[in-house]
């Protein structure tokens, strides 16, 4: 999309107080659910994910003293209220670090359905962190950008580095994501089976604060580091059966926490369960594919590139499937030339 080097784009952004960034959403193989500190979005457990190359958000931030206040447009629609307030909170962090007092105009667009369990907030807040920091004249430091993204949406921390990323627990300074393998390490596919494009009744920010009300959350958190170690080892060894077993277990444990929270959160629909059962059957028939599910009813089928077309075709046969998106591993959040 852009051949201008990042250093040149960062230099120009600081000069013009304007920047445009692109970031991919990510699919978690080991899930983040619940915070140690809701305000700072310090996660209860470490997590691991893959960026999704075919999906992206593109966000432009322009600091402008002729404006009365921050403004936000998403996919062509002006956004006010809580949506704008959340973006302004991220901008305030950037402004405080840069010693800047200017309001900003933010425009964002994504090429995938928002609010349907395809972590749109991850891509949006990663792109906002990178564009905002660049336009404010902050340095291009991966860890501070991941931290800024995390403060907007936890999983956004993992959309800042490239490829396969691990996000650590820790303090406000140390809880950041780093790449454990570049996209080229393993040509996996996420075949996203969309059964609903509706907005979730309870979004992930509300869901995280309910996690501790489930008596299963302590056990989930206690086992997360071991599941992450197993997933990371399998990923680095490109061992899909080993990785698949642990990602399915981790997703189901998270949904157990969700369903046993007070009040309970049931994200699954009958279509979700049908796809889980179909996945088990496909595997029994020799097709190597594993599922994971975020905070929504849609199912992410993980397989290698060689089997993606077969998995996609099989998924399209299931009643209630609205669309299927396919993505390989994506790169880091970055500035683009506009
Ligand atoms: O970053 P948030 O607050 O949208 O939370 C994301 C939570 C899950 O998608 C369910 C899991 C994850 O690790 O991405």
């Amino acid at each position: 999309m852009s051949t201008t080097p990042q250093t040149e784009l960062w230099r120009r952004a600081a000069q013009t107080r304007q920047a445009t960034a692109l970031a991919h959403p990510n699919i978690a193989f080991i899930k983040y659910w619940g915070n140690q500190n809701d305000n700072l979005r310090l996660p209860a457990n470490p997590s691991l994910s893959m960026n999704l190359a075919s999906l992206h958000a593109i966000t432009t931030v322009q600091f402008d003293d002729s404006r009365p206040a921050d403004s936000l447009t998403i996919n062509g629609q002006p956004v006010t209220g809580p949506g704008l307030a959340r973006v302004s909170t991220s901008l305030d962090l950037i402004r405080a670090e840069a010693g800047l007092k200017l309001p900003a105009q933010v425009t964002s667009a994504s090429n995938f359905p928002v609010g349907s369990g395809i972590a749109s907030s991850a891509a949006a807040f990663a792109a906002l962190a990178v564009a905002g920091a660049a336009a404010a004249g902050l340095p291009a430091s991966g860890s501070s950008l991941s931290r800024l993204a995390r403060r907007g949406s936890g999983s956004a921390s993992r959309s800042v580095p490239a490829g396969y990323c691990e996000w650590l627990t820790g303090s406000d300074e140390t809880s950041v994501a780093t790449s454990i393998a570049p996209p080229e390490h393993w040509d996996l596919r996420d075949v996203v089976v969309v059964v609903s494009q509706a907005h979730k009744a309870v979004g992930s920010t509300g869901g995280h604060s309910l996690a501790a009300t489930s008596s299963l959350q302590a056990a989930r958190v206690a086992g997360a580091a071991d599941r992450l170690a197993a997933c990371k080892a399998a990923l680095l060894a490109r061992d899909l059966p080993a990785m698949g077993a642990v990602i399915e277990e981790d997703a189901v444990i998270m949904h157990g926490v969700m369903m046993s929270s007070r009040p309970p959160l049931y994200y699954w629909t009958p279509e979700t369960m049908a796809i889980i059962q179909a996945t088990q059957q496909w595997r029994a028939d020799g097709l190597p594919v594993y599922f994971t599910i975020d905070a929504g009813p849609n199912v992410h089928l993980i397989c290698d590139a060689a089997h993606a077309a077969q998995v996609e075709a099989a998924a399209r046969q299931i009643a209630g499937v609205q669309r299927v998106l396919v993505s390989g591993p994506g790169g880091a959040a970055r500035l683009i030339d506009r």
Side-chain angles (χ1 to χ4, degrees):
M1 199 171 272
S2 156
T3 49
T4 315
Q6 289 292 302
T7 45
E8 170 60 13
L9 292 173
W10 278 80
R11 195 187 61 74
R12 269 192 229 158
Q15 253 173 17
T16 59
R17 296 244 176 275
Q18 172 174 342
T20 299
L22 179 152
H24 303 290
N26 63 78
I27 179 65
F29 292 157
I30 299 297
K31 306 295 186 187
Y32 148 56
W33 195 246
N35 290 313
Q36 290 176 29
N37 180 322
D38 281 328
N39 217 6
L40 295 175
R41 295 185 200 271
L42 294 176
N45 63 280
S47 54
L48 195 159
S49 61
M50 174 178 105
N51 285 345
L52 301 176
S54 343
L55 311 177
H56 62 245
I58 292 179
T59 300
T60 299
V61 175
Q62 180 174 25
F63 289 105
D64 181 355
D65 57 7
S66 69
R67 299 188 157 265
D70 293 335
S71 69
L72 172 65
T73 306
I74 300 180
N75 293 329
Q77 302 293 319
V79 177
T80 55
L84 173 61
R86 192 166 166 192
V87 164
S88 285
T89 303
S90 283
L91 292 170
D92 286 345
L93 285 169
I94 291 168
R95 282 186 283 245
E97 265 179 47
L100 201 71
K101 293 213 162 57
L102 304 177
Q105 181 184 16
V106 178
T107 39
S108 186
S110 60
N111 69 345
F112 58 101
V114 170
S116 54
I118 307 171
S120 56
S121 64
F125 280 98
L128 177 68
V130 173
L138 291 176
S141 142
S143 60
S144 47
L145 294 172
S146 178
R147 171 180 162 271
L148 281 171
R150 185 200 83 223
R151 294 283 296 265
S153 173
S155 58
S157 64
R158 298 186 311 240
S159 280
V160 171
Y164 298 92
C165 301
E166 179 180 10
W167 170 26
L168 303 171
T169 56
S171 67
D172 186 31
E173 297 303 322
T174 59
S175 180
V176 297
T178 53
S179 177
I180 61 161
E184 306 75 43
H185 166 69
W186 194 5
D187 201 12
L188 285 181
R189 291 288 179 273
D190 180 3
V191 178
V192 190
V193 188
V194 179
V195 296
S196 166
Q197 302 191 49
H199 255 286
K200 296 174 273 202
V202 177
S204 47
T205 299
H208 291 298
S209 63
L210 288 180
T213 66
S214 164
S215 55
L216 303 180
Q217 171 71 348
R220 192 193 72 82
V221 170
D226 283 352
R227 288 191 300 277
L228 190 143
C231 182
K232 185 172 172 177
L235 196 150
L236 293 176
R238 301 186 192 91
D239 180 344
L240 188 60
M243 194 182 91
V246 72
I247 72 172
E248 289 191 350
E249 180 190 352
D250 190 81
V252 171
I253 291 175
M254 178 182 74
H255 281 272
V257 168
M258 292 163 160
M259 292 181 204
S260 55
S261 294
R262 291 183 224 142
L265 294 175
Y266 290 96
Y267 288 114
W268 292 6
T269 63
E271 290 79 17
T272 311
M273 198 61 224
I275 299 164
I276 291 174
Q277 287 176 329
T279 306
Q280 291 179 322
Q281 187 58 51
W282 295 330
R283 255 199 330 261
D285 296 343
L287 183 60
V289 54
Y290 297 84
F291 68 83
T292 185
I293 307 164
D294 276 346
N298 302 325
V299 182
H300 297 250
L301 297 173
I302 308 300
C303 60
D304 59 23
H307 293 95
Q310 210 182 332
V311 168
E312 183 185 351
R316 287 189 192 279
Q317 300 298 312
I318 295 178
V321 170
Q322 296 182 359
R323 61 193 282 195
V324 180
L325 313 166
V326 182
S327 181
R334 55 205 179 265
L335 294 182
I336 57 171
D337 218 347
R338 264 286 156 107

